[in-house]
Structure formats: C-alpha cells, structure tokens
Amino acid sequence: MPNLVLIRHGQASFGAADYDRLSSTGEEQSRHLGDWFRRTGQSPDLIVAGTMRRHVRTAELCVEAAGVDAPGITLAGLDEMDHEEVLARYRPDLAAPGALAAELARADDPHRAFQRVYIDAVKRWIGGEFDGDYARSWRAFHADVMESLQTLAAHKARTIWAFTSGGPIAVIANALVGAPVEQAFALAWPLVNTSVTRVSVDGKRNHLISYNAWSHLEQAGDARLITHR
C-alpha cells in the first residue's frame, strides 16, 4: 500500500516578529530527521510541502541531509490556520503589533502562558458560533485539509513525504481514528517538531499507522531538541 509520511515542521521562531521561519534548533531538527531517513534507508517518490516558509525550509534541510532526489510540489491545503487571527478574534487586545510578545514577556513561563490563551482561542474558532469573524473558518480549514489528504491518497507515488504543521496532522489523525471532529486539536498539542506520522492508503480507506514519532531526535541524545512549538 502507498505510504504517506506526514512531517511536522521544525521549531519556528516563537516570540520573534517573524514566526514563520525556522529557529536554529528547527534547522538542526530538520537535518537530524533527514540523516535518520538516510541511515534507515528511507526515500520518497514525491516530496510535498505546505506553502509556509517553515514547511519549505524543513523540507529543504531534511531532503538535503537524506541525500534523496524526488519531484516536489506545494499544497496550500497543508498550511496551518492563521494563529494570529485566531488569537486576535479571541483577545482583540493582542492584535496590536508587539502586544502578544509584550504579554508573554511578563509571564514566568512564556510557552505555558501562550498555550493557555491559544487553547481557548482555538476552542472559540472551532465552536462554529463565530465563523463569520474569521477569514478562514474552522469548517473551511478542515475541508481544505481533508481535500489535501484525498489528493495525496490518489497520487501514484508509492511513498510521499509531506511537510506540514500540527493542525493539519491533527485533523487527519483525528479523522482516521474516527474521533469527534471538535476534538481534533487535542491531537495537535503533543506533536513534536519534525515528528513523523504515517498513513497507509489502499484506495478505499486510509489508515493511521503511527503518530508523532521522533526516533531521530531521541537518537541524537539531546533533550533540547524535543520541542512543541
């Protein structure tokens, strides 16, 4: 059966003015993944990435380290939702430039502080009551992700490496295990940067084979590389 390998991007630049670029840790994670693919004899027939820079850069570094050569395409349906808009609709006071960074700077643990606000913001977005507030509603996001899954499942490639974000991976995993749609993002929070989730495709039904694996980071022996944002 064809294999779809969903890869979460490397660590982005949390707290920086431009979130959509890899941190130095994110670049290191991406190279470790590619090296692990090389050492374990894995290679793709097709390389797919969302259109975000963190997706594309993760793919570039991973593929280079893996030493593989395969055709590549971008697929906008693998893009993450607009987290800045989702936050701003829930907390309009955070919409001003630098407002979120300033609030996090005052927190004892910026990552935990962000996660608390973000979870509540995503709940509002998913709830459906305020769909008109968003340029891209939860329903539209979910439909785009599932359409992308069907596009990849219909491809003739035997093995596809797809570089994406936590949201699309969570939506796909949630659908394949038959969990309630409104609980999809519960599967996003544990995802490690550059983790690997595998889906098999048989033409009629897709199957979740593994979720959120990061053997390549464990083998590196550096706890600093285990990140979630």
Side-chain angles (χ1 to χ4, degrees):
M1 293 186 289
N3 296 299
L4 172 60
V5 183
L6 298 169
I7 300 164
R8 191 186 178 203
H9 61 79
Q11 185 189 57
S13 296
F14 178 79
D18 182 7
Y19 175 79
D20 191 22
R21 61 180 177 83
L22 296 187
S23 67
S24 58
T25 297
E27 293 187 345
E28 190 175 352
Q29 292 165 333
S30 303
R31 293 188 183 98
H32 275 296
L33 177 59
D35 183 62
W36 181 76
F37 279 142
R38 179 186 58 78
R39 289 186 288 106
T40 55
Q42 301 182 58
S43 62
D45 303 303
L46 178 69
I47 299 163
V48 184
T51 67
M52 293 177 164
R53 281 182 292 164
R54 58 189 185 271
H55 302 156
V56 174
R57 185 58 175 158
T58 300
E60 289 173 346
L61 293 172
C62 176
V63 167
E64 180 182 9
V68 297
D69 184 21
I73 61 172
T74 57
L75 195 58
L78 294 179
D79 287 351
E80 186 63 283
M81 86 286 206
D82 186 342
H83 74 277
E84 292 182 349
E85 183 190 41
V86 169
L87 284 168
R89 296 297 177 264
Y90 173 66
R91 286 275 306 274
D93 58 306
L94 298 179
L100 177 61
E103 174 155 323
L104 296 179
R106 294 190 293 268
D108 293 334
D109 187 333
H111 284 83
R112 287 186 181 275
F114 176 83
Q115 189 69 8
R116 286 193 296 268
V117 175
Y118 192 48
I119 287 174
D120 289 339
V122 169
K123 285 181 180 178
R124 182 186 191 274
W125 178 56
I126 288 177
E129 184 178 353
F130 305 100
D131 280 0
D133 290 354
Y134 301 95
R136 190 185 187 196
S137 70
W138 158 248
R139 289 186 177 90
F141 173 78
H142 188 277
D144 288 344
V145 172
M146 295 308 295
E147 182 179 351
S148 294
L149 174 62
Q150 295 310 312
T151 297
L152 295 176
H155 202 281
K156 294 181 179 180
R158 295 290 298 175
T159 300
I160 301 172
W161 292 359
F163 296 83
T164 179
S165 286
I169 294 172
V171 166
I172 291 170
N174 176 272
L176 296 184
V177 300
V181 173
E182 62 274 11
Q183 295 179 13
F185 265 75
L187 289 170
W189 312 135
L191 286 168
V192 170
N193 292 115
T194 66
S195 63
V196 173
T197 295
R198 297 181 186 271
V199 175
S200 70
V201 181
D202 65 9
K204 295 181 180 179
R205 185 176 178 183
N206 306 318
H207 304 270
L208 184 66
I209 302 302
S210 66
Y211 162 76
N212 195 29
W214 64 87
S215 297
H216 58 292
L217 300 179
E218 291 176 319
Q219 290 179 12
D222 185 351
R224 174 185 55 86
L225 295 173
I226 311 299
T227 64
H228 295 84
R229 190 167 303 287

